[in-house]
Structures are given as C-alpha cells and as structure tokens.
Amino acid sequence: MTGKRGEDLAARHLRALGWRIVERNWRCSQGELDIVALEPRPDGAPARVVAVEVKTRSGSGYGDPLEAITVAKLRRLRGLATRWYREHPGVGQGLRLDAVGIVKPVGMAPMLTHVRGL
C-alpha cells in the first residue's frame, strides 16, 4: 500500500468520525503535513484543528508504522502544525497533533491505529 492510499484510508477514517478534512499534503519550506482536519466538539464549541501524520506499511517486518515518528520528527511536526494554525486564523479553535498508522499485509484488510494527542 502506497503512502497516498494510506492517506486516503486515513482521511476516510477521519470523515467517518465526523471530521472535516481542511487540507491534504500542505507544504511549506520546513516540510509537509499529511492531513489537517477539523474535529467537532460535542459541546458545540468551535471545532479543534488536528494535524494528522499518516504512516503506512505493507507489513510489520519493519515494526509498527508509528514507531517511525521519532522525537525529532515529532518536534518538526509540531512546528509545522503551529505554523499552519498561525497562517490560517479563524479556522477552528485549539490545535492537536494526531497520528494514524496503517498496516496492510498482502491479501488482508488494512489495520488502522489512530493515536490522539502526540
């Protein structure tokens, strides 16, 4: 499964949760955010902005895909998410970073793990 197909699956997962996808593959000079979405809040408050890193693997031979999010990568993702949030005032309230790991072994259904609040 390619990264694009994994991102498509992650986006479908988020939409099924009632989230709205705002951007996909947002880029700036410091890097890229895979997905930026709005998570509705049950209390009616403005939606929360969530930047989502997607990691996809075709098997578990290289470990869980989320293990690829190192401390350095996490630091960079937080900076990217903050930059996106500052450049898009008025889009949601509050910011969080999530990750979706997808493993798609040959001949099997994909297994998706969504980790909130990295």
Side-chain angles (χ1 to χ4, degrees), residues 1 5 24 64 86 90 95 106 109-110 113:
M1 174 178 274
R5 287 179 59 207
R24 296 218 16 210
D64 186 283
R86 287 181 181 152
L95 175 64
V106 176
T113 303

Side-chain angles (χ1 to χ4, degrees), residues 5-22:
R5 287 179 59 207
E7 289 175 12
D8 290 344
L9 183 61
R12 280 195 303 273
H13 163 74
L14 298 173
R15 283 189 200 102
L17 295 174
W19 296 20
R20 183 167 66 91
I21 306 300
V22 177

Side-chain angles (χ1 to χ4, degrees), residues 39-81:
E39 176 189 30
R41 295 187 189 190
D43 62 2
R48 176 181 289 118
V49 175
V50 183
V52 182
E53 175 71 1
V54 181
K55 292 293 183 187
T56 307
R57 299 287 183 269
S58 59
S60 58
Y62 293 101
D64 186 283
L66 296 178
E67 291 174 358
I69 302 175
T70 63
V71 172
K73 177 136 184 139
L74 186 57
R75 186 177 315 118
R76 188 176 61 78
L77 289 169
R78 285 182 178 144
L80 288 166

